[in-house]
Amino acid sequence: MSRLLTPKLLLRGFEVFAVASLLGFGATLLYGNNLPAFLAALGRLHWIWILAGLGLASMDWIGGGLRLWVVARHVYPRPPLKGLILARSIPAPGQ
């Protein structure tokens, strides 16, 4: 099982997830058929809150990877930190 979830495969899955999210967002924007209202709403966004949200999300991602690393050290000698942070990016069932 551990050979199946390589860091390269996890990174590829994250890239596919990001592209699918962007395509879904774009399809929703096109389906809504109101580009001027969308562009006007972008001007009213408080970008500092978007940056704060991205910061909190990345803290959860990196912190979760560090938590996995601490646990994995007791099972596997010298686990790869980068791989465990990437493994944290896969949501658990029900999330």
Side-chain angles (χ1 to χ4, degrees):
M1 178 80 173
S2 64
R3 291 283 179 207
L4 295 176
L5 295 176
T6 62
K8 184 176 180 180
L9 181 65
L10 292 172
L11 183 60
R12 178 66 58 193
F14 179 73
E15 291 169 350
V16 168
F17 170 76
V19 169
S21 296
L22 289 174
L23 287 174
F25 181 74
T28 303
L29 180 61
L30 288 175
Y31 179 73
N33 202 17
N34 200 350
L35 185 62
F38 172 76
L39 294 176
L42 282 180
R44 293 189 306 266
L45 283 177
H46 295 281
W47 292 99
I48 192 73
W49 291 113
I50 292 174
L51 290 175
L54 288 173
L56 286 172
S58 65
M59 283 175 45
D60 176 52
W61 189 17
I62 293 170
L66 287 171
R67 184 178 61 240
L68 288 175
W69 179 75
V70 167
V71 172
R73 286 186 319 169
H74 297 287
V75 177
Y76 182 78
R78 299 182 61 204
L81 180 60
K82 181 181 175 186
L84 292 171
I85 290 174
L86 284 174
R88 175 56 185 102
S89 67
I90 299 173
Q95 282 189 344

